[in-house]
């Protein structure tokens, strides 16, 4: 058997060591309008990178990348695990409304300590906007109101 055939048997969450993980950060601008953009981070050292450092890495990428201009004024302050490789995904396309215990409140814990592995997806958003959205998880403007840019 060739090494290529053998490598297809390896699950993606363990295909790379946790010192070289790939993580997707789903940066959410608006819950109601499902406005989000994914930031893929490669070669992340999960045992050495803290939750707070991940927030800073994402914020720096948003401030420096031209495609991120619409996201620069969003007050991003909260991370929540969206899904792990080979895990069940939520039916909500913007964020996992279940499992508030997956919100990462301790900025000093390493990503490995909070359960990150290769191919983990995490949502990055404004915590206050999330709490408001949970009360009425509707998409789009209230009925009868037009969207004005």
């Amino acid at each position: 058997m060739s090494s290529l055939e053998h490598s297809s048997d390896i699950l993606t969450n363990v295909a790379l060591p946790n010192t070289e993980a790939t993580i997707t950060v789903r940066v959410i601008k608006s819950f109601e309008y499902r406005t989000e953009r994914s930031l893929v981070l490669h070669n992340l050292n999960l045992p050495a990178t803290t939750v707070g450092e991940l927030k800073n890495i994402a914020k720096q990428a948003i401030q420096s990348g031209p495609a991120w201009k619409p996201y620069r004024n969003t007050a991003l302050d909260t991370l929540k695990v969206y899904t792990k490789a080979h895990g069940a995904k939520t039916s909500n396309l913007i964020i996992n409304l279940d499992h508030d215990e997956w919100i990462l409140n301790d900025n000093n814990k390493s990503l490995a300590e909070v359960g990150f592995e290769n191919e983990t997806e995490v949502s990055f958003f404004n915590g206050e906007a999330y709490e408001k959205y949970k009360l009425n998880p509707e998409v789009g403007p209230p009925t009868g109101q037009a969207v004005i840019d």
Side-chain angles (χ1 to χ4, degrees):
M1 177 174 10
S2 75
S3 62
L4 184 59
E5 289 173 314
H6 178 69
S7 68
S8 67
D9 295 339
I10 299 173
L11 296 176
T12 57
N13 58 322
V14 294
L16 292 174
N18 67 357
T19 55
E20 297 176 22
T22 297
I23 301 298
T24 300
V25 180
R26 299 166 47 86
V27 181
I28 300 171
K29 181 177 179 179
S30 169
F31 292 101
E32 294 81 10
Y33 297 103
R34 293 188 194 164
T35 310
E36 71 89 27
R37 183 175 180 94
S38 294
L39 171 66
V40 180
L41 302 172
H42 300 281
N43 298 315
L44 209 56
N45 186 330
L46 302 180
T49 306
T50 65
V51 170
E53 289 169 339
L54 178 59
K55 289 177 183 178
N56 288 334
I57 290 167
K59 285 178 182 178
Q60 287 173 359
I62 292 164
Q63 291 304 315
S64 62
W68 291 97
K69 192 172 183 179
Y71 290 78
R72 290 186 184 147
N73 292 331
T74 305
L76 302 166
D77 58 13
T78 306
L79 286 172
K80 181 180 182 183
V81 174
Y82 182 72
T83 188
K84 293 183 183 179
H86 314 291
K89 289 196 176 190
T90 178
S91 60
N92 187 308
L93 298 176
I94 193 69
I95 193 161
N96 180 346
L97 289 172
D98 301 325
H99 302 291
D100 274 353
E101 69 275 11
W102 292 358
I103 291 176
L104 307 176
N105 292 319
D106 189 342
N107 285 335
N108 297 315
K109 283 199 172 185
S110 77
L111 298 180
E113 286 178 295
V114 296
F116 275 47
E117 51 193 28
N118 189 47
E119 299 291 332
T120 295
E121 287 187 41
V122 63
S123 300
F124 192 26
F125 53 91
N126 178 278
E128 189 176 311
Y130 170 71
E131 292 300 325
K132 201 166 147 183
Y133 179 69
K134 279 191 345 184
L135 296 174
N136 185 24
E138 297 295 320
V139 176
T143 308
Q145 291 187 6
V147 177
I148 300 171
D149 274 351

